[in-house]
Amino acid sequence: METPLREVRPKVTLVVRMVASVGNYDYIIDYEFQTDGVMRAKVGLSGMLMVKGTTYENKNQVKKDKEGNEEELYGTILSENVIGVIHDHYVTFYLDLDVDGPDNSFVKVNLKRQETAPGESPRKSYMKAVRNIVKTEKDGQIKLSLYDPSEYHVINPGKTTRVGNPTGYKVVPRATAASLLDHDDPPQKRGAFTNNQIWVTPYNKSEQWASGLFTYQSHGDDTLAVWSDRDRDIENKDIVVWYTLGFHHIPCQEDFPIMPTVSSSFDLKPVNFFERNPILKAAPNFEYDLPVCGAKSDSA
Ligand SMILES: *[C@@H]1O[C@H](CO)[C@@H](O)[C@H](O)[C@H]1NC(C)=O
Ligand SMILES: [Cu+2]
């Protein structure tokens, strides 16, 4: 047989799924282990919406003030006498990473603009990556921003690749959310882990539950925010990274009475952990291995 010019590596993913019914919602949590070394944590939300009753049966009954502004419903009329209330969902992941051993450092790899000097080049600017090893906890409290982009690496400062890069894995955020509540609001004091999307703490077996052990009675004194504000040393130590996946939810009629699944995820991705693309170790598939699909235009 002629040697095919084209070959591919099939993407094979092991999915470990857990579904938790919490009150009215179902949380589908998938841990995906991929052959390129990526671990993806995915959260899907479904279930029954949180609703409140109303005397309104139609939007045209909602009271208006003199200026014509409608009364604030804090939600959407989904059906006669039913309002789906605006709310958030937050799921925090406790990532007790040991990259090539227990002692790791957290590195903010900040992308920056480098301006060229006048007359140096027809170009005005380039990009550069500024690596900051985070020394203490407060510096590891991260608010994501498109206009101040960073990568977030967890490296083993004592281990390097053949060409000298520290071995690492990075946390790759995707769509998430930040709470809009006042920090002194009781639910926000308990849920203060949503004040940042990423936190880094030194490992401590008593500090595992981000909103404290007894969340409902909590005054917020036993939470990730309080631990992290002690600003302990986190360089070259056994560290824990906390990533929070959030969803703002303004309900719409399609969410009622039962919701289609909404999902988001984040990745743990190797960054100079392998010497080369680890997928090359997988046996290739060739053209003749693949199923052939053809149009069935001649069958009546
Ligand atoms: C470990 O966590 C507990 C609970 O927050 C705290 O009382 C203790 O001081 C912590 N230990 C260290 C070494 O930070
Ligand atoms: Cu929701």
Side-chain angles (χ1 to χ4, degrees):
M1 184 180 279
E2 201 184 312
T3 311
L5 295 174
R6 282 164 292 185
E7 60 171 71
V8 294
R9 301 296 185 280
K11 179 146 193 162
V12 181
T13 302
L14 171 69
V15 182
V16 180
R17 169 167 286 185
M18 198 269 288
V19 181
S21 291
V22 183
N24 50 316
Y25 258 77
D26 298 322
Y27 291 86
I28 305 155
I29 303 186
D30 287 345
Y31 295 96
E32 299 184 2
F33 299 91
Q34 307 184 358
T35 40
D36 55 2
V38 169
M39 291 179 264
R40 177 166 296 166
K42 196 164 159 189
V43 177
L45 314 181
S46 183
M48 311 294 290
L49 266 191
M50 183 171 68
V51 297
K52 65 179 180 183
T54 174
T55 54
Y56 299 135
E57 296 192 340
N58 192 291
K59 204 162 152 22
N60 64 17
Q61 298 165 338
V62 178
K63 293 190 205 84
K64 290 196 172 91
D65 66 13
K66 286 188 222 81
E67 279 86 50
N69 301 314
E70 272 185 7
E71 177 196 349
E72 179 57 57
L73 299 178
Y74 303 102
T76 311
I77 300 176
L78 302 176
S79 187
E80 290 76 5
N81 310 109
V82 178
I83 289 176
V85 291
I86 297 170
H87 60 276
D88 291 333
H89 301 261
Y90 296 98
V91 182
T92 198
F93 286 83
Y94 173 97
L95 308 169
D96 181 9
L97 299 177
D98 284 351
V99 178
D100 253 356
D103 291 337
N104 290 171
S105 293
F106 182 74
V107 187
K108 281 192 277 192
V109 183
N110 206 204
L111 275 168
K112 291 277 190 204
R113 180 192 300 160
Q114 170 78 54
E115 317 261 355
T116 55
E120 181 191 333
S121 160
R123 291 283 304 272
K124 296 278 182 210
S125 55
Y126 310 120
M127 281 189 289
K128 62 180 176 184
V130 180
R131 288 161 205 272
N132 294 303
I133 296 179
V134 174
K135 306 256 187 261
T136 61
E137 288 179 287
K138 282 189 183 171
D139 218 18
Q141 300 177 355
I142 312 277
K143 291 180 171 66
L144 300 175
S145 162
L146 277 184
Y147 293 93
D148 182 19
S150 282
E151 289 196 354
Y152 306 101
H153 295 194
V154 176
I155 61 157
N156 186 325
K159 300 274 175 69
T160 52
T161 58
R162 195 179 70 251
V163 296
N165 292 307
T167 57
Y169 254 75
K170 61 180 173 182
V171 178
V172 186
R174 257 196 220 90
T176 184
S179 176
L180 292 172
L181 297 183
D182 190 293
H183 282 193
D184 289 327
D185 223 342
Q188 192 58 31
K189 283 189 189 169
R190 294 168 193 156
F193 66 90
T194 63
N195 295 351
N196 299 297
Q197 291 72 59
I198 295 175
W199 310 69
V200 187
T201 56
Y203 175 81
N204 177 335
K205 72 173 167 32
S206 311
E207 296 179 352
Q208 199 179 342
W209 310 106
S211 49
L213 258 186
F214 301 104
T215 309
Y216 283 105
Q217 283 86 29
S218 167
H219 295 285
D221 41 20
D222 178 27
T223 67
L224 175 55
V226 171
W227 308 330
S228 167
D229 276 341
R230 280 187 265 162
D231 207 19
R232 293 162 291 186
D233 201 11
I234 50 171
E235 188 183 354
N236 202 1
K237 282 205 156 39
D238 188 6
I239 52 174
V240 174
V241 178
W242 307 72
Y243 181 78
T244 298
L245 228 164
F247 303 77
H248 294 302
H249 192 174
I250 306 174
C252 62
Q253 285 186 250
E254 290 80 357
D255 294 339
F256 186 79
I258 187 161
M259 251 182 71
T261 303
V262 174
S263 50
S264 187
S265 62
F266 72 96
D267 287 348
L268 290 173
K269 192 164 195 265
V271 61
N272 306 316
F273 186 80
F274 297 103
E275 294 290 350
R276 65 190 66 75
N277 184 346
I279 264 195
L280 296 176
K281 284 188 284 190
N285 272 13
F286 295 101
E287 233 173 327
Y288 51 75
D289 294 324
L290 304 172
V292 178
C293 308
K296 265 183 132 188
S297 53
D298 54 350
S299 61

PDB file of all heavy atoms in Angstrom, residues 60-75:
ATOM      1  N   ASN A  60     -47.154  43.498  30.586  1.00  0.00           N
ATOM      2  CA  ASN A  60     -47.874  44.759  30.409  1.00  0.00           C
ATOM      3  C   ASN A  60     -48.603  45.221  31.678  1.00  0.00           C
ATOM      4  O   ASN A  60     -49.131  46.320  31.720  1.00  0.00           O
ATOM      5  CB  ASN A  60     -48.818  44.697  29.194  1.00  0.00           C
ATOM      6  CG  ASN A  60     -49.922  43.653  29.370  1.00  0.00           C
ATOM      7  OD1 ASN A  60     -50.210  43.183  30.471  1.00  0.00           O
ATOM      8  ND2 ASN A  60     -50.519  43.264  28.243  1.00  0.00           N
ATOM      9  N   GLN A  61     -48.626  44.357  32.741  1.00  0.00           N
ATOM     10  CA  GLN A  61     -49.268  44.751  34.013  1.00  0.00           C
ATOM     11  C   GLN A  61     -48.281  45.385  34.986  1.00  0.00           C
ATOM     12  O   GLN A  61     -48.676  45.910  36.014  1.00  0.00           O
ATOM     13  CB  GLN A  61     -49.887  43.510  34.682  1.00  0.00           C
ATOM     14  CG  GLN A  61     -50.967  42.865  33.846  1.00  0.00           C
ATOM     15  CD  GLN A  61     -51.304  41.454  34.341  1.00  0.00           C
ATOM     16  OE1 GLN A  61     -50.499  40.823  35.020  1.00  0.00           O
ATOM     17  NE2 GLN A  61     -52.490  40.987  33.988  1.00  0.00           N
ATOM     18  N   VAL A  62     -46.983  45.308  34.664  1.00  0.00           N
ATOM     19  CA  VAL A  62     -45.970  45.799  35.609  1.00  0.00           C
ATOM     20  C   VAL A  62     -46.106  47.307  35.771  1.00  0.00           C
ATOM     21  O   VAL A  62     -46.194  48.041  34.784  1.00  0.00           O
ATOM     22  CB  VAL A  62     -44.539  45.429  35.124  1.00  0.00           C
ATOM     23  CG1 VAL A  62     -43.476  45.985  36.083  1.00  0.00           C
ATOM     24  CG2 VAL A  62     -44.398  43.919  34.985  1.00  0.00           C
ATOM     25  N   LYS A  63     -46.153  47.734  37.061  1.00  0.00           N
ATOM     26  CA  LYS A  63     -46.352  49.168  37.358  1.00  0.00           C
ATOM     27  C   LYS A  63     -45.207  50.006  36.804  1.00  0.00           C
ATOM     28  O   LYS A  63     -44.062  49.582  36.786  1.00  0.00           O
ATOM     29  CB  LYS A  63     -46.420  49.365  38.881  1.00  0.00           C
ATOM     30  CG  LYS A  63     -47.634  48.734  39.533  1.00  0.00           C
ATOM     31  CD  LYS A  63     -47.712  49.203  41.000  1.00  0.00           C
ATOM     32  CE  LYS A  63     -48.461  48.221  41.880  1.00  0.00           C
ATOM     33  NZ  LYS A  63     -47.615  47.108  42.383  1.00  0.00           N
ATOM     34  N   LYS A  64     -45.571  51.217  36.398  1.00  0.00           N
ATOM     35  CA  LYS A  64     -44.562  52.158  35.906  1.00  0.00           C
ATOM     36  C   LYS A  64     -44.620  53.424  36.752  1.00  0.00           C
ATOM     37  O   LYS A  64     -45.697  53.800  37.231  1.00  0.00           O
ATOM     38  CB  LYS A  64     -44.852  52.532  34.452  1.00  0.00           C
ATOM     39  CG  LYS A  64     -44.618  51.411  33.457  1.00  0.00           C
ATOM     40  CD  LYS A  64     -44.541  51.967  32.032  1.00  0.00           C
ATOM     41  CE  LYS A  64     -44.116  50.925  31.031  1.00  0.00           C
ATOM     42  NZ  LYS A  64     -45.231  50.187  30.413  1.00  0.00           N
ATOM     43  N   ASP A  65     -43.468  54.089  36.945  1.00  0.00           N
ATOM     44  CA  ASP A  65     -43.488  55.375  37.654  1.00  0.00           C
ATOM     45  C   ASP A  65     -43.791  56.507  36.662  1.00  0.00           C
ATOM     46  O   ASP A  65     -44.031  56.255  35.470  1.00  0.00           O
ATOM     47  CB  ASP A  65     -42.178  55.604  38.438  1.00  0.00           C
ATOM     48  CG  ASP A  65     -40.966  55.771  37.521  1.00  0.00           C
ATOM     49  OD1 ASP A  65     -41.151  55.958  36.291  1.00  0.00           O
ATOM     50  OD2 ASP A  65     -39.829  55.700  38.023  1.00  0.00           O
ATOM     51  N   LYS A  66     -43.759  57.766  37.172  1.00  0.00           N
ATOM     52  CA  LYS A  66     -44.140  58.904  36.324  1.00  0.00           C
ATOM     53  C   LYS A  66     -43.276  59.010  35.073  1.00  0.00           C
ATOM     54  O   LYS A  66     -43.731  59.418  34.015  1.00  0.00           O
ATOM     55  CB  LYS A  66     -44.085  60.211  37.132  1.00  0.00           C
ATOM     56  CG  LYS A  66     -45.236  60.353  38.125  1.00  0.00           C
ATOM     57  CD  LYS A  66     -45.219  61.759  38.743  1.00  0.00           C
ATOM     58  CE  LYS A  66     -45.484  61.760  40.245  1.00  0.00           C
ATOM     59  NZ  LYS A  66     -44.366  61.443  41.133  1.00  0.00           N
ATOM     60  N   GLU A  67     -42.004  58.641  35.241  1.00  0.00           N
ATOM     61  CA  GLU A  67     -41.085  58.717  34.077  1.00  0.00           C
ATOM     62  C   GLU A  67     -41.265  57.541  33.111  1.00  0.00           C
ATOM     63  O   GLU A  67     -40.566  57.463  32.093  1.00  0.00           O
ATOM     64  CB  GLU A  67     -39.627  58.752  34.542  1.00  0.00           C
ATOM     65  CG  GLU A  67     -39.125  60.121  34.990  1.00  0.00           C
ATOM     66  CD  GLU A  67     -39.428  60.399  36.450  1.00  0.00           C
ATOM     67  OE1 GLU A  67     -39.120  59.524  37.282  1.00  0.00           O
ATOM     68  OE2 GLU A  67     -39.999  61.461  36.745  1.00  0.00           O
ATOM     69  N   GLY A  68     -42.135  56.623  33.476  1.00  0.00           N
ATOM     70  CA  GLY A  68     -42.346  55.480  32.596  1.00  0.00           C
ATOM     71  C   GLY A  68     -41.412  54.313  32.845  1.00  0.00           C
ATOM     72  O   GLY A  68     -41.390  53.345  32.075  1.00  0.00           O
ATOM     73  N   ASN A  69     -40.633  54.389  33.958  1.00  0.00           N
ATOM     74  CA  ASN A  69     -39.739  53.264  34.278  1.00  0.00           C
ATOM     75  C   ASN A  69     -40.516  52.156  34.981  1.00  0.00           C
ATOM     76  O   ASN A  69     -41.242  52.413  35.942  1.00  0.00           O
ATOM     77  CB  ASN A  69     -38.598  53.722  35.195  1.00  0.00           C
ATOM     78  CG  ASN A  69     -37.775  54.822  34.549  1.00  0.00           C
ATOM     79  OD1 ASN A  69     -37.403  54.720  33.387  1.00  0.00           O
ATOM     80  ND2 ASN A  69     -37.526  55.892  35.296  1.00  0.00           N
ATOM     81  N   GLU A  70     -40.320  50.939  34.526  1.00  0.00           N
ATOM     82  CA  GLU A  70     -41.021  49.802  35.130  1.00  0.00           C
ATOM     83  C   GLU A  70     -40.495  49.504  36.524  1.00  0.00           C
ATOM     84  O   GLU A  70     -39.309  49.676  36.786  1.00  0.00           O
ATOM     85  CB  GLU A  70     -40.782  48.553  34.267  1.00  0.00           C
ATOM     86  CG  GLU A  70     -41.797  48.402  33.163  1.00  0.00           C
ATOM     87  CD  GLU A  70     -41.632  47.094  32.398  1.00  0.00           C
ATOM     88  OE1 GLU A  70     -40.816  46.248  32.822  1.00  0.00           O
ATOM     89  OE2 GLU A  70     -42.318  46.934  31.382  1.00  0.00           O
ATOM     90  N   GLU A  71     -41.389  49.050  37.395  1.00  0.00           N
ATOM     91  CA  GLU A  71     -41.007  48.571  38.729  1.00  0.00           C
ATOM     92  C   GLU A  71     -39.925  47.497  38.582  1.00  0.00           C
ATOM     93  O   GLU A  71     -40.003  46.650  37.688  1.00  0.00           O
ATOM     94  CB  GLU A  71     -42.249  47.959  39.389  1.00  0.00           C
ATOM     95  CG  GLU A  71     -42.008  47.362  40.746  1.00  0.00           C
ATOM     96  CD  GLU A  71     -43.167  46.438  41.172  1.00  0.00           C
ATOM     97  OE1 GLU A  71     -44.223  46.437  40.493  1.00  0.00           O
ATOM     98  OE2 GLU A  71     -42.993  45.711  42.145  1.00  0.00           O
ATOM     99  N   GLU A  72     -38.906  47.571  39.470  1.00  0.00           N
ATOM    100  CA  GLU A  72     -37.806  46.590  39.399  1.00  0.00           C
ATOM    101  C   GLU A  72     -38.315  45.230  39.897  1.00  0.00           C
ATOM    102  O   GLU A  72     -38.816  45.121  41.009  1.00  0.00           O
ATOM    103  CB  GLU A  72     -36.644  47.091  40.265  1.00  0.00           C
ATOM    104  CG  GLU A  72     -35.440  46.173  40.316  1.00  0.00           C
ATOM    105  CD  GLU A  72     -34.865  45.862  38.956  1.00  0.00           C
ATOM    106  OE1 GLU A  72     -34.500  46.795  38.226  1.00  0.00           O
ATOM    107  OE2 GLU A  72     -34.783  44.664  38.619  1.00  0.00           O
ATOM    108  N   LEU A  73     -38.194  44.216  39.076  1.00  0.00           N
ATOM    109  CA  LEU A  73     -38.679  42.882  39.466  1.00  0.00           C
ATOM    110  C   LEU A  73     -37.546  42.001  39.987  1.00  0.00           C
ATOM    111  O   LEU A  73     -37.795  40.923  40.499  1.00  0.00           O
ATOM    112  CB  LEU A  73     -39.341  42.189  38.274  1.00  0.00           C
ATOM    113  CG  LEU A  73     -40.571  42.863  37.664  1.00  0.00           C
ATOM    114  CD1 LEU A  73     -41.066  42.060  36.455  1.00  0.00           C
ATOM    115  CD2 LEU A  73     -41.696  43.007  38.688  1.00  0.00           C
ATOM    116  N   TYR A  74     -36.313  42.429  39.835  1.00  0.00           N
ATOM    117  CA  TYR A  74     -35.140  41.614  40.213  1.00  0.00           C
ATOM    118  C   TYR A  74     -35.169  40.241  39.547  1.00  0.00           C
ATOM    119  O   TYR A  74     -34.731  39.246  40.104  1.00  0.00           O
ATOM    120  CB  TYR A  74     -35.016  41.498  41.746  1.00  0.00           C
ATOM    121  CG  TYR A  74     -34.927  42.853  42.398  1.00  0.00           C
ATOM    122  CD1 TYR A  74     -36.041  43.415  43.022  1.00  0.00           C
ATOM    123  CD2 TYR A  74     -33.753  43.586  42.332  1.00  0.00           C
ATOM    124  CE1 TYR A  74     -35.977  44.696  43.572  1.00  0.00           C
ATOM    125  CE2 TYR A  74     -33.676  44.864  42.880  1.00  0.00           C
ATOM    126  CZ  TYR A  74     -34.790  45.411  43.499  1.00  0.00           C
ATOM    127  OH  TYR A  74     -34.719  46.665  44.038  1.00  0.00           O
ATOM    128  N   GLY A  75     -35.762  40.210  38.366  1.00  0.00           N
ATOM    129  CA  GLY A  75     -35.853  38.946  37.651  1.00  0.00           C
ATOM    130  C   GLY A  75     -36.683  39.121  36.394  1.00  0.00           C
ATOM    131  O   GLY A  75     -36.911  40.240  35.931  1.00  0.00           O
TER     132      GLY A  75
END
